[in-house]
Amino acid sequence: MRLLKDQDLSNKNVVVRLDLNVPIQDKQIIDSTRIISSVPTIKYLIDKNCKVLLTSHLGRPEEGKFDQDFSMSPVAKKLSEILNHEIDLIDSLDSNDIFNTTQIQLLENLRFLIGEKDNNEKLGNQLANKGDVYIFDAFGTAHRKQASTHSAIQQAKFSCAGLLLEKEINSLDKALTSIENPFTAVIAGSKISTKLELIAHLNSKADFIVVGGGIANTFLKSQGFDVGESLVENDMIEIAKELFNSGKIILPNKVVVADSIDSNSSTTKNIDSVSGSDKIFDINLTSNMSEILKNSKTILWNGPIGVFEKEPFQKGTHQLAKTIAGSEAFSLAGGGETIAAINKFINKDEVSYCSTGGGAFLEYMEGKLLPSIEALGG
Ligand code: 3PG
């Protein structure tokens, strides 16, 4: 893959594709992780005296028109504060201001542009050749084949990966290719169908796969346990049975049940005592799970094991986060909810690497070559 540090970029005009798709509520950014993670590449370019046009998408607006609710304006403000640098917001790719006002500029939401989502070649060409160089540093969007994430990379006179993308790939590869065993994956979340490829891929790599959330319910049911009225994917039972045959899937033996997700109280039950109307909303880490995690040299975590946003069902995910924080393994976490749980229960620095990717993280860990990475030379 072509890398930023291998090029002489001094004094160049550079277009940078970032993933600044951050959660915003009432015009306030509620998590700046992706903005902060993009800073090293921006600073590197500023130190090289480059003029920089930053670009990103934000949310999923209708294409072809400006929509204030999806404007990059709050992001420009936040980034400007973080960098302590003036940043002009550029409203159009045709603007004569590009590279002519502040040293750092931010283009309005790429998804306002017709052709972005369809990987339009004309738009790709325009983005690619606005500057001398096109830098792709949007790991979180590397699984989308769009004009700024694919066509522009291909059509630029020169394109390369930024520092965040390089760091993401090096960290994710530690848990994919240069694994230190024992390797434990914790895969949880509501649906097995969305993580099927990941579990199947990890079945050949991991020594243990700890499951939680709705995924655990489906595995439990596949092994003949009554899970009451818990969330289960019945059409996945046969597949769950096959995956379980690998002998690597670790199931909970104590679960936290309630009648409703809105319930203020919960009951902990042995898995063989779950009854007809019970709904499982959390699991207890078994001593076997804790032991496995403690002895692991590599840990991958994707998905909360319970409904951690609700007080009665947060204990399992809290316990899991603490156990991973206390382990000496190389620990890798990814996915929006997982990072939210880490932010709630522990310090991010207690995990070796937290990916900025959601869908991109999953697809990379499934062993797929992401379109942007392919366009950058693999
Ligand atoms: C993400 O948040 O996962 C990325 O920014 C991609 O966004 P998208 O799912 O809207 O393409």
Side-chain angles (χ1 to χ4, degrees), residues 192-194 196 218 222 233-241:
I192 202 170
S193 52
T194 57
L196 192 60
T218 303
S222 83
E233 282 177 284
N234 284 313
D235 52 349
M236 288 285 145
I237 296 283
E238 285 310 312
I239 293 175
K241 262 188 205 162

Side-chain angles (χ1 to χ4, degrees), residues 58 68 81 208-209 286:
L58 182 65
Q68 189 62 49
E81 282 164 19
F208 306 100
I209 303 177
T286 62

Side-chain angles (χ1 to χ4, degrees), residues 19 21 34 57 60 111 140-141 143-144 359:
D19 187 349
N21 184 26
R34 282 182 169 169
H57 73 287
R60 295 177 179 172
R111 288 191 180 162
T141 325
H143 60 314
R144 302 281 183 228

Side-chain angles (χ1 to χ4, degrees), residues 240-252:
K241 262 188 205 162
E242 265 172 54
L243 290 168
F244 194 82
N245 284 341
S246 69
K248 295 179 175 179
I249 311 278
I250 313 291
L251 295 177

